[in-house]
Amino acid sequence: MRDWGIEQKWMSVLLPLLLLYNDPFFPLSFLVNSWFPGTLDAFFQSLFLCALLLFWLCVYHGIRVQGERKCLTFYLPKLIIVGLLWLSAVTLGIWQT
């Protein structure tokens, strides 16, 4: 794993999130008449989409920088921007549910 590139490291995060994006708890909505399955769906959809956005931001900025990626200067601004988008997407998704 230490020889993996940035794309391979991100794929190990994005592939499990893709499974959760596909709403594996959909049959639960037929068994339980509650707000919980819809909330899980909104949470996992926004989590995958924001992780995908973060992946593309890091990849394209990594191509431009070509240097060392320090956590404070490289990842933190992207995490703040995507984190705010994720928070608003989760809030609106849960509110809609």
Side-chain angles (χ1 to χ4, degrees), residues 3-95:
D3 294 331
W4 284 3
I6 188 170
E7 294 88 3
Q8 292 167 324
K9 291 177 184 176
W10 271 101
M11 284 304 126
S12 66
V13 172
L14 287 176
L15 287 176
L17 288 178
L18 181 61
L19 290 173
L20 294 175
Y21 176 75
N22 200 21
D23 197 14
F25 302 109
F26 180 70
L28 189 63
S29 64
F30 295 115
L31 298 173
V32 177
N33 190 11
S34 176
W35 54 269
F36 188 66
T39 302
L40 276 178
D41 183 38
F43 178 77
F44 289 142
Q45 281 185 6
S46 62
L47 184 65
F48 172 72
L49 291 174
C50 286
L52 191 63
L53 175 65
L54 186 64
F55 163 72
W56 283 114
L57 285 173
C58 290
V59 165
Y60 283 133
H61 192 207
I63 289 171
R64 200 187 90 190
V65 171
Q66 294 289 332
E68 192 171 320
R69 296 179 183 104
K70 295 184 177 162
C71 189
L72 188 63
T73 59
F74 187 77
Y75 290 108
L76 188 63
K78 295 171 192 58
L79 281 173
I80 290 172
I81 292 170
V82 173
L84 290 173
L85 284 172
W86 176 80
L87 187 64
S88 64
V90 167
T91 304
L92 288 174
I94 291 172
W95 186 24

